[in-house]
Coordinates of all heavy atoms in Angstrom, one line a residue:
L252 N 105.2 118.0 76.1 CA 106.0 117.2 77.0 C 105.3 117.1 78.3 O 104.9 118.1 78.9 CB 107.4 117.8 77.1 CG 108.3 117.2 78.1 CD1 108.7 115.8 77.6 CD2 109.6 118.1 78.2
Y253 N 105.2 115.9 78.9 CA 104.7 115.7 80.2 C 105.7 115.2 81.2 O 106.5 114.3 80.8 CB 103.5 114.7 80.2 CG 102.3 115.3 79.5 CD1 102.2 115.4 78.2 CD2 101.2 115.8 80.3 CE1 101.0 116.0 77.6 CE2 100.1 116.3 79.8 CZ 100.0 116.4 78.4 OH 98.9 116.9 77.8
V254 N 105.8 115.7 82.4 CA 106.7 115.2 83.4 C 106.0 115.0 84.7 O 105.0 115.6 85.0 CB 107.9 116.2 83.6 CG1 108.7 116.3 82.3 CG2 107.4 117.6 84.0
S255 N 106.6 114.2 85.6 CA 106.1 114.0 86.9 C 107.1 114.5 87.9 O 108.2 114.2 87.9 CB 105.8 112.5 87.1 OG 105.5 112.3 88.5
T256 N 106.6 115.4 88.8 CA 107.4 115.9 89.9 C 106.6 116.0 91.2 O 105.5 116.6 91.2 CB 107.9 117.3 89.6 OG1 106.8 118.2 89.4 CG2 108.8 117.3 88.4
S257 N 107.0 115.5 92.3 CA 106.4 115.6 93.6 C 104.9 115.3 93.6 O 104.1 116.0 94.1 CB 106.7 117.0 94.1 OG 108.0 117.3 94.2
G258 N 104.5 114.2 92.9 CA 103.1 113.8 92.9 C 102.3 114.6 92.0 O 101.0 114.5 92.1
R259 N 102.8 115.4 91.1 CA 102.1 116.2 90.2 C 102.5 115.8 88.8 O 103.7 115.6 88.5 CB 102.3 117.7 90.4 CG 101.7 118.2 91.7 CD 102.1 119.6 92.0 NE 101.3 120.2 93.0 CZ 101.3 119.9 94.3 NH1 102.0 118.9 94.7 NH2 100.5 120.5 95.1
I260 N 101.6 115.8 87.8 CA 101.9 115.6 86.4 C 101.8 117.0 85.8 O 100.8 117.7 86.0 CB 100.9 114.7 85.7 CG1 100.8 113.3 86.4 CG2 101.2 114.6 84.3 CD1 102.2 112.6 86.4
R261 N 102.9 117.4 85.1 CA 102.9 118.8 84.6 C 103.1 118.7 83.0 O 103.8 117.8 82.6 CB 104.1 119.6 85.2 CG 103.9 119.7 86.7 CD 105.0 120.5 87.3 NE 105.0 120.4 88.7 CZ 104.5 121.3 89.5 NH1 103.9 122.4 89.0 NH2 104.5 121.2 90.8
R262 N 102.5 119.6 82.3 CA 102.6 119.7 80.9 C 103.5 120.9 80.6 O 103.3 122.0 81.2 CB 101.3 119.9 80.3 CG 101.3 120.1 78.7 CD 100.0 120.1 78.1 NE 99.0 120.8 78.9 CZ 97.7 120.4 79.1 NH1 97.3 119.3 78.6 NH2 96.9 121.1 79.8
I263 N 104.5 120.8 79.7 CA 105.4 121.9 79.3 C 105.1 122.1 77.9 O 105.3 121.3 77.0 CB 106.9 121.5 79.6 CG1 107.1 121.2 81.0 CG2 107.7 122.7 79.2 CD1 108.5 120.7 81.3
S264 N 104.6 123.4 77.6 CA 104.3 123.7 76.2 C 105.6 124.0 75.4 O 106.6 124.2 76.0 CB 103.4 125.0 76.2 OG 104.2 126.1 76.5
P265 N 105.5 124.0 74.1 CA 106.6 124.4 73.3 C 107.2 125.8 73.6 O 108.4 126.0 73.4 CB 106.1 124.4 71.8 CG 104.9 123.4 71.9 CD 104.3 123.6 73.2
Q266 N 106.4 126.7 74.2 CA 106.8 128.0 74.5 C 107.4 128.0 75.9 O 107.9 129.0 76.4 CB 105.6 129.0 74.5 CG 105.0 129.2 73.1 CD 104.1 128.1 72.7 OE1 103.6 127.3 73.5 NE2 103.9 127.9 71.4
G267 N 107.4 126.9 76.6 CA 108.0 126.8 77.9 C 107.1 127.0 79.1 O 107.5 127.0 80.3
T268 N 105.8 127.2 78.8 CA 104.8 127.4 79.9 C 104.6 126.0 80.6 O 104.4 125.0 80.0 CB 103.5 127.9 79.4 OG1 103.7 129.1 78.7 CG2 102.5 128.1 80.5
I269 N 104.7 126.0 82.0 CA 104.5 124.8 82.8 C 103.1 124.9 83.4 O 102.8 125.9 84.1 CB 105.6 124.7 83.8 CG1 107.0 124.6 83.1 CG2 105.3 123.5 84.7 CD1 108.1 124.7 84.1
E270 N 102.3 123.8 83.2 CA 101.0 123.8 83.8 C 100.8 122.4 84.5 O 101.1 121.4 84.0 CB 100.0 123.9 82.6 CG 98.6 123.7 83.0 CD 97.6 123.6 81.8 OE1 98.1 123.6 80.7 OE2 96.4 123.7 82.1
T271 N 100.2 122.4 85.7 CA 99.9 121.2 86.4 C 98.6 120.7 85.9 O 97.6 121.4 85.9 CB 99.8 121.5 87.9 OG1 101.0 121.9 88.4 CG2 99.4 120.2 88.7
V272 N 98.6 119.4 85.4 CA 97.4 118.9 84.8 C 96.7 117.9 85.8 O 95.6 117.5 85.6 CB 97.6 118.2 83.5 CG1 98.0 119.2 82.4 CG2 98.7 117.1 83.6
A273 N 97.5 117.4 86.8 CA 96.9 116.4 87.8 C 97.8 116.4 89.0 O 99.0 116.5 88.9 CB 96.8 115.0 87.2
V274 N 97.1 116.2 90.1 CA 97.8 115.9 91.4 C 97.4 114.5 91.8 O 96.2 114.2 91.9 CB 97.3 116.9 92.5 CG1 98.0 116.5 93.8 CG2 97.7 118.3 92.1
L275 N 98.4 113.6 91.9 CA 98.2 112.2 92.1 C 97.9 111.9 93.6 O 98.5 112.6 94.5 CB 99.4 111.4 91.7 CG 99.8 111.6 90.2 CD1 101.0 110.7 90.0 CD2 98.7 111.2 89.3
P276 N 96.9 111.0 93.9 CA 96.6 110.7 95.3 C 97.7 110.0 95.9 O 98.5 109.2 95.3 CB 95.4 109.8 95.1 CG 95.4 109.3 93.7 CD 96.1 110.3 92.9
L277 N 97.9 110.2 97.2 CA 98.9 109.5 98.0 C 98.6 108.0 98.2 O 97.4 107.7 98.2 CB 99.2 110.1 99.3 CG 99.8 111.5 99.3 CD1 99.7 112.1 100.7 CD2 101.2 111.5 98.8
P278 N 99.6 107.1 98.3 CA 99.3 105.7 98.6 C 98.5 105.5 99.9 O 98.7 106.2 100.8 CB 100.7 105.1 98.7 CG 101.6 106.0 98.0 CD 101.0 107.4 98.2
T279 N 97.6 104.5 99.9 CA 96.9 104.2 101.1 C 96.9 102.7 101.3 O 96.9 101.9 100.3 CB 95.4 104.7 101.1 OG1 94.8 104.1 99.9 CG2 95.3 106.2 100.9
I280 N 96.8 102.3 102.5 CA 96.6 100.8 102.9 C 95.5 100.8 103.9 O 95.6 101.4 105.0 CB 97.9 100.2 103.4 CG1 98.9 100.1 102.2 CG2 97.6 98.8 103.9 CD1 100.2 99.5 102.6
G281 N 94.5 100.0 103.7 CA 93.4 99.9 104.7 C 92.7 101.2 105.0 O 92.2 101.4 106.1
G282 N 92.7 102.1 104.0 CA 92.0 103.4 104.2 C 92.9 104.5 104.9 O 92.5 105.6 105.1
F283 N 94.1 104.1 105.2 CA 95.1 105.0 105.9 C 96.1 105.5 104.8 O 96.7 104.7 104.1 CB 95.8 104.4 107.0 CG 94.9 104.0 108.2 CD1 94.4 102.7 108.3 CD2 94.4 105.0 109.1 CE1 93.6 102.4 109.3 CE2 93.6 104.6 110.1 CZ 93.1 103.3 110.2
T284 N 96.3 106.8 104.8 CA 97.3 107.4 103.9 C 98.7 107.0 104.5 O 99.0 107.2 105.6 CB 97.2 108.9 103.8 OG1 95.9 109.2 103.3 CG2 98.2 109.5 102.9
I285 N 99.5 106.6 103.6 CA 100.9 106.2 104.0 C 101.9 107.2 103.4 O 102.0 107.3 102.2 CB 101.2 104.8 103.4 CG1 100.2 103.7 103.8 CG2 102.6 104.3 103.8 CD1 100.0 103.5 105.3
P286 N 102.5 108.0 104.3 CA 103.5 108.9 103.8 C 104.7 108.1 103.3 O 105.4 107.4 104.0 CB 103.9 109.8 105.0 CG 103.5 109.0 106.2 CD 102.4 108.0 105.7
S287 N 105.0 108.2 102.0 CA 106.1 107.5 101.4 C 106.6 108.2 100.2 O 105.9 109.1 99.7 CB 105.8 106.1 101.1 OG 104.8 106.1 100.0
Q288 N 107.8 107.9 99.8 CA 108.3 108.5 98.6 C 107.6 107.9 97.4 O 107.5 106.7 97.3 CB 109.8 108.3 98.5 CG 110.4 109.0 97.3 CD 111.9 108.7 97.2 OE1 112.5 108.0 98.0 NE2 112.6 109.4 96.3
T289 N 107.0 108.7 96.5 CA 106.4 108.1 95.3 C 106.9 108.8 94.1 O 107.4 109.9 94.1 CB 104.8 108.4 95.3 OG1 104.6 109.8 95.4 CG2 104.2 107.7 96.6
W290 N 106.8 108.1 93.0 CA 107.3 108.6 91.7 C 106.5 107.9 90.6 O 106.0 106.8 90.7 CB 108.8 108.4 91.5 CG 109.2 106.9 91.6 CD1 109.3 106.1 90.5 CD2 109.5 106.1 92.7 NE1 109.7 104.8 90.9 CE2 109.8 104.8 92.3 CE3 109.5 106.4 94.1 CZ2 110.1 103.8 93.2 CZ3 109.8 105.4 95.0 CH2 110.1 104.1 94.5
A291 N 106.4 108.7 89.5 CA 105.8 108.1 88.3 C 106.8 107.4 87.5 O 107.8 108.0 87.1 CB 105.1 109.2 87.5
S292 N 106.6 106.1 87.2 CA 107.6 105.4 86.4 C 107.1 105.2 85.0 O 107.9 104.7 84.2 CB 107.9 104.0 87.1 OG 106.7 103.3 87.1
G293 N 105.9 105.7 84.6 CA 105.5 105.6 83.3 C 104.2 106.4 83.0 O 103.4 106.6 83.9
L294 N 104.1 107.0 81.9 CA 103.0 107.8 81.4 C 102.6 107.4 80.1 O 103.4 107.2 79.2 CB 103.4 109.3 81.4 CG 104.0 110.0 82.6 CD1 104.4 111.4 82.3 CD2 102.9 110.0 83.7
S295 N 101.2 107.3 79.8 CA 100.7 106.9 78.5 C 99.3 107.5 78.3 O 98.6 107.6 79.3 CB 100.7 105.4 78.4 OG 100.2 105.0 77.2
F296 N 99.0 107.8 77.1 CA 97.7 108.3 76.8 C 96.9 107.3 76.0 O 97.5 106.6 75.2 CB 97.8 109.6 75.9 CG 98.2 110.8 76.7 CD1 99.5 111.1 76.8 CD2 97.2 111.6 77.4 CE1 99.9 112.2 77.6 CE2 97.6 112.7 78.1 CZ 99.0 113.0 78.2
D297 N 95.5 107.3 76.2 CA 94.7 106.5 75.3 C 94.1 107.4 74.2 O 94.3 108.6 74.3 CB 93.7 105.7 76.0 CG 92.6 106.5 76.7 OD1 92.5 107.7 76.4 OD2 91.8 105.9 77.5
R298 N 93.3 106.9 73.3 CA 92.8 107.7 72.2 C 91.7 108.6 72.7 O 91.3 109.5 71.9 CB 92.3 106.8 71.1 CG 91.3 105.8 71.4 CD 91.0 104.9 70.3 NE 90.3 103.7 70.8 CZ 89.1 103.3 70.3 NH1 88.6 103.9 69.3 NH2 88.5 102.3 70.9
L299 N 91.2 108.4 73.9 CA 90.1 109.3 74.4 C 90.7 110.5 75.2 O 90.0 111.3 75.7 CB 89.2 108.5 75.3 CG 88.4 107.4 74.7 CD1 87.6 106.6 75.7 CD2 87.6 107.9 73.5
G300 N 92.0 110.6 75.3 CA 92.7 111.7 76.0 C 92.9 111.4 77.5 O 93.4 112.3 78.2
N301 N 92.6 110.2 77.9 CA 93.0 109.8 79.3 C 94.5 109.6 79.5 O 95.1 109.0 78.6 CB 92.2 108.5 79.8 CG 90.7 108.7 79.8 OD1 90.2 109.6 80.5 ND2 90.0 107.9 79.0
L302 N 95.0 110.1 80.6 CA 96.4 109.8 80.9 C 96.5 108.7 81.9 O 95.8 108.7 82.9 CB 97.0 111.1 81.4 CG 98.4 111.0 82.1 CD1 99.5 110.6 81.0 CD2 98.8 112.3 82.7
F303 N 97.3 107.7 81.6 CA 97.5 106.6 82.6 C 98.9 106.8 83.2 O 99.9 106.9 82.4 CB 97.4 105.3 81.9 CG 95.9 105.0 81.6 CD1 95.4 105.4 80.3 CD2 95.1 104.4 82.4 CE1 94.1 105.2 80.0 CE2 93.7 104.2 82.1 CZ 93.3 104.6 80.9
V304 N 99.0 106.7 84.5 CA 100.3 106.9 85.2 C 100.6 105.6 86.0 O 99.7 105.2 86.8 CB 100.2 108.1 86.2 CG1 101.5 108.3 86.9 CG2 99.8 109.4 85.4
V305 N 101.8 105.1 85.8 CA 102.2 104.0 86.7 C 103.0 104.7 87.8 O 104.0 105.4 87.6 CB 103.1 103.0 86.0 CG1 103.7 102.0 87.0 CG2 102.4 102.4 84.9
Q306 N 102.4 104.6 89.1 CA 103.0 105.3 90.2 C 103.6 104.2 91.1 O 102.9 103.3 91.6 CB 102.0 106.1 90.9 CG 102.6 106.9 92.1 CD 101.5 107.7 92.8 OE1 100.4 107.1 93.1 NE2 101.8 108.9 93.2
D307 N 104.9 104.4 91.4 CA 105.6 103.5 92.3 C 105.9 104.2 93.6 O 106.1 105.4 93.6 CB 106.9 103.0 91.7 CG 106.7 102.0 90.6 OD1 105.9 101.1 90.8 OD2 107.4 102.2 89.6
S308 N 105.9 103.4 94.7 CA 106.4 104.0 96.0 C 107.1 102.9 96.7 O 107.3 101.8 96.1 CB 105.2 104.4 96.8 OG 104.5 103.2 97.3
S309 N 107.5 103.1 97.9 CA 108.3 102.1 98.7 C 107.4 101.0 99.1 O 107.9 99.9 99.5 CB 109.0 102.8 99.9 OG 108.0 103.4 100.7
I310 N 106.1 101.1 99.0 CA 105.2 100.1 99.5 C 104.2 99.5 98.5 O 103.7 98.4 98.7 CB 104.3 100.6 100.7 CG1 103.6 101.8 100.3 CG2 105.2 100.9 101.9 CD1 102.5 102.3 101.2
Q311 N 104.0 100.2 97.3 CA 103.1 99.7 96.4 C 103.3 100.3 95.0 O 103.9 101.3 94.8 CB 101.6 99.8 96.8 CG 101.2 101.3 97.0 CD 99.8 101.4 97.5 OE1 99.2 102.4 97.3 NE2 99.2 100.5 98.3
R312 N 102.7 99.6 94.0 CA 102.7 100.1 92.6 C 101.2 100.3 92.2 O 100.4 99.4 92.5 CB 103.3 99.2 91.7 CG 103.2 99.5 90.2 CD 104.0 98.7 89.3 NE 105.4 99.0 89.5 CZ 106.4 98.2 89.2 NH1 106.2 97.0 88.8 NH2 107.7 98.7 89.4
R313 N 100.9 101.4 91.6 CA 99.5 101.7 91.2 C 99.4 102.2 89.8 O 100.3 102.8 89.3 CB 98.9 102.8 92.1 CG 99.0 102.4 93.6 CD 98.4 103.4 94.5 NE 98.8 104.8 94.3 CZ 98.1 105.8 94.8 NH1 97.0 105.6 95.5 NH2 98.5 107.0 94.6
I314 N 98.2 101.9 89.2 CA 97.9 102.6 87.9 C 96.8 103.6 88.1 O 95.8 103.2 88.7 CB 97.5 101.5 86.8 CG1 98.7 100.6 86.5 CG2 97.1 102.2 85.6 CD1 98.4 99.5 85.6
I315 N 97.1 104.8 87.8 CA 96.1 105.9 88.0 C 95.7 106.4 86.6 O 96.5 106.7 85.8 CB 96.8 107.0 88.8 CG1 97.2 106.4 90.2 CG2 95.8 108.2 89.0 CD1 98.1 107.3 91.0
R316 N 94.4 106.6 86.5 CA 93.8 107.2 85.3 C 93.5 108.7 85.6 O 92.9 109.0 86.6 CB 92.6 106.5 84.8 CG 92.0 107.1 83.5 CD 90.8 106.4 83.0 NE 89.7 106.6 83.9 CZ 88.7 107.5 83.8 NH1 88.8 108.4 82.8 NH2 87.7 107.6 84.6
V317 N 94.0 109.6 84.7 CA 93.6 111.0 84.8 C 92.8 111.3 83.6 O 93.3 111.2 82.5 CB 94.9 111.9 84.9 CG1 94.6 113.3 85.1 CG2 95.8 111.4 86.1
D318 N 91.6 111.8 83.8 CA 90.7 112.1 82.7 C 91.1 113.4 82.1 O 91.9 114.2 82.7 CB 89.2 112.0 83.0 CG 88.7 113.1 83.9 OD1 89.3 114.1 84.0 OD2 87.7 112.8 84.6
P319 N 90.5 113.8 80.9 CA 90.9 115.1 80.3 C 90.6 116.3 81.1 O 91.2 117.4 80.9 CB 90.1 115.1 79.0 CG 89.9 113.6 78.7 CD 89.7 113.0 80.0
N320 N 89.7 116.2 82.1 CA 89.4 117.3 83.0 C 90.4 117.4 84.2 O 90.3 118.2 85.1 CB 88.0 117.2 83.5 CG 87.0 117.3 82.4 OD1 87.2 118.2 81.5 ND2 86.0 116.5 82.4
G321 N 91.3 116.4 84.4 CA 92.3 116.4 85.5 C 91.9 115.6 86.7 O 92.6 115.5 87.7
A322 N 90.7 114.9 86.6 CA 90.3 114.1 87.8 C 91.1 112.7 87.7 O 91.1 112.0 86.7 CB 88.8 113.8 87.7
A323 N 91.7 112.4 88.9 CA 92.5 111.2 89.0 C 91.8 110.1 89.8 O 91.1 110.4 90.8 CB 93.8 111.5 89.7
S324 N 91.9 108.9 89.3 CA 91.3 107.8 90.0 C 92.2 106.6 89.9 O 92.9 106.3 88.9 CB 89.9 107.4 89.4 OG 90.0 107.2 88.1
V325 N 92.3 105.8 91.0 CA 93.2 104.6 91.1 C 92.5 103.5 90.5 O 91.3 103.2 90.8 CB 93.6 104.3 92.5 CG1 94.4 103.1 92.6 CG2 94.3 105.5 93.2
H326 N 93.2 102.7 89.6 CA 92.5 101.6 88.9 C 93.1 100.3 89.2 O 92.5 99.2 89.0 CB 92.5 101.9 87.4 CG 91.4 102.8 87.0 ND1 90.2 102.4 86.5 CD2 91.4 104.1 87.0 CE1 89.5 103.4 86.3 NE2 90.2 104.5 86.6
L327 N 94.3 100.2 89.7 CA 95.0 99.0 90.0 C 96.0 99.2 91.1 O 96.8 100.2 91.0 CB 95.6 98.4 88.8 CG 96.3 97.0 88.9 CD1 95.3 95.9 89.2 CD2 97.0 96.6 87.7
V328 N 96.0 98.4 92.1 CA 97.0 98.5 93.2 C 97.7 97.2 93.4 O 97.0 96.1 93.5 CB 96.3 99.0 94.5 CG1 97.3 99.0 95.7 CG2 95.6 100.3 94.3
G329 N 99.0 97.2 93.6 CA 99.8 96.0 93.9 C 100.7 96.4 95.0 O 101.5 97.3 94.9
A330 N 100.7 95.6 96.1 CA 101.5 95.9 97.3 C 102.8 95.1 97.1 O 102.9 94.0 96.6 CB 100.8 95.5 98.6
F331 N 103.9 95.7 97.6 CA 105.2 95.0 97.7 C 105.3 94.4 99.0 O 104.8 94.8 100.0 CB 106.3 96.0 97.5 CG 106.4 96.7 96.1 CD1 106.4 98.1 96.0 CD2 106.4 95.9 95.0 CE1 106.4 98.7 94.7 CE2 106.4 96.5 93.7 CZ 106.5 97.9 93.6
G332 N 106.2 93.4 99.1 CA 106.5 92.8 100.4 C 105.8 91.5 100.5 O 105.7 90.6 101.1

């Protein structure tokens, strides 16, 4: 089971062990970090083990890829407004 809490993706094992598998980057505009409330609105895996996260905030929606080693990279950004 995977859950998103406070900008982190966590895996919960069948035994109840909780492990952080990724820390998501904060939203930025023009190179500046924007402090805003963010949440993951969707999680999905591909066949290579990459985790894709749809991350929403008050200012933008992003798709973030987390590789099997836990490295996160932003792949698509859409601004609201």
Side-chain angles (χ1 to χ4, degrees):
L252 175 66
Y253 287 78
V254 296
S255 173
T256 61
S257 303
R259 289 171 167 70
I260 304 298
R261 300 180 192 261
R262 178 176 37 226
I263 303 172
S264 73
Q266 296 78 22
T268 304
I269 300 172
E270 174 187 11
T271 299
V272 295
V274 177
L275 301 178
L277 291 172
T279 60
I280 292 182
F283 295 98
T284 300
I285 307 297
S287 66
Q288 182 180 7
T289 61
W290 59 93
S292 60
L294 303 173
S295 181
F296 286 92
D297 68 10
R298 60 189 164 125
L299 300 175
N301 295 303
L302 169 63
F303 291 88
V304 181
V305 177
Q306 185 183 41
D307 288 314
S308 74
S309 57
I310 57 168
Q311 62 184 206
R312 173 174 286 158
R313 306 182 310 164
I314 296 178
I315 300 169
R316 181 179 67 93
V317 181
D318 71 21
N320 296 318
S324 56
V325 178
H326 282 266
L327 182 66
V328 177
F331 295 126

